[in-house]
Amino acid sequence: MLERNFSKYIKQNLPKDCFVQNIENGLNFSGFPDLYLLYKTIPLLIELKTSIKRNKTIKDNISFKLEKSQIAWHINYNRFNGVSFILQNAPLTNDLVLFDAYLIAMSQATSTPKPEPLIIAPLKDCIEQARKIVIASMKLEP
């Protein structure tokens, strides 16, 4: 599945109470994630990645590479306590794979093993998991 088709799939299958905005990065190489979602009042920044069918297990198909600008963006965003995600299609199932984008960026920047997914599940469950993680990360001060 091409990334633009994946984006359309996501938009068509999001919960009805979810606002979505595609971020058109064009040729500016900013590294900003592909989607901004507002789900139950919580903002979510999500980078979309697609897989190529290779082997017969989901784990074997979780392979992608971030651009240098994306690595820098996710690492810098995390420095300010921002939480962002990578959502990847799992080509052998209808499930999606959700990752912590900072951990992926750090693993690619330092050539260390890729971290485990946060969840492998249908879209709604992935979005709900991302929302819970963002809520848990918020340190609200008066």
Side-chain angles (χ1 to χ4, degrees):
M1 175 183 308
L2 296 173
E3 197 168 293
R4 69 176 168 266
N5 294 340
F6 187 35
S7 179
K8 285 180 187 176
Y9 168 81
I10 297 297
K11 288 173 97 173
Q12 291 169 352
N13 291 284
L14 282 170
K16 299 298 179 214
D17 55 348
C18 187
F19 170 81
V20 61
Q21 178 65 52
N22 255 26
I23 307 299
E24 301 295 333
N25 287 330
L27 298 175
N28 67 5
F29 302 106
S30 70
F32 196 85
D34 298 316
L35 293 178
Y36 170 83
L37 303 179
L38 189 60
Y39 182 53
K40 297 180 183 176
T41 73
I42 302 300
L44 306 172
L45 293 169
I46 300 177
E47 179 67 37
L48 300 177
K49 293 293 179 187
T50 57
S51 300
I52 298 171
K53 269 189 193 177
R54 294 185 311 168
N55 296 317
K56 295 187 179 185
T57 66
I58 292 174
K59 259 192 169 169
D60 291 336
N61 290 288
I62 300 173
S63 178
F64 56 83
K65 187 170 178 147
L66 296 175
E67 299 293 329
K68 287 180 183 179
S69 60
Q70 293 172 321
I71 291 170
W73 191 93
H74 290 292
I75 291 171
N76 286 327
Y77 189 64
N78 180 267
R79 281 185 30 224
F80 292 92
N81 299 316
V83 180
S84 55
F85 302 94
I86 295 173
L87 189 63
Q88 181 183 27
N89 66 324
L92 301 173
T93 71
N94 288 328
D95 286 339
L96 301 175
V97 185
L98 184 71
F99 293 95
D100 179 314
Y102 168 73
L103 295 178
I104 293 292
M106 286 301 294
S107 74
Q108 290 188 13
T110 59
S111 299
T112 55
K114 187 186 321 186
E116 292 293 315
L118 298 168
I119 188 173
I120 299 173
L123 177 61
K124 184 168 181 171
D125 295 339
C126 288
I127 298 302
E128 189 61 45
Q129 180 70 19
R131 181 179 179 274
K132 289 176 183 175
I133 291 167
V134 170
I135 290 170
S137 76
M138 292 179 166
K139 297 174 184 130
L140 301 176
E141 297 178 19

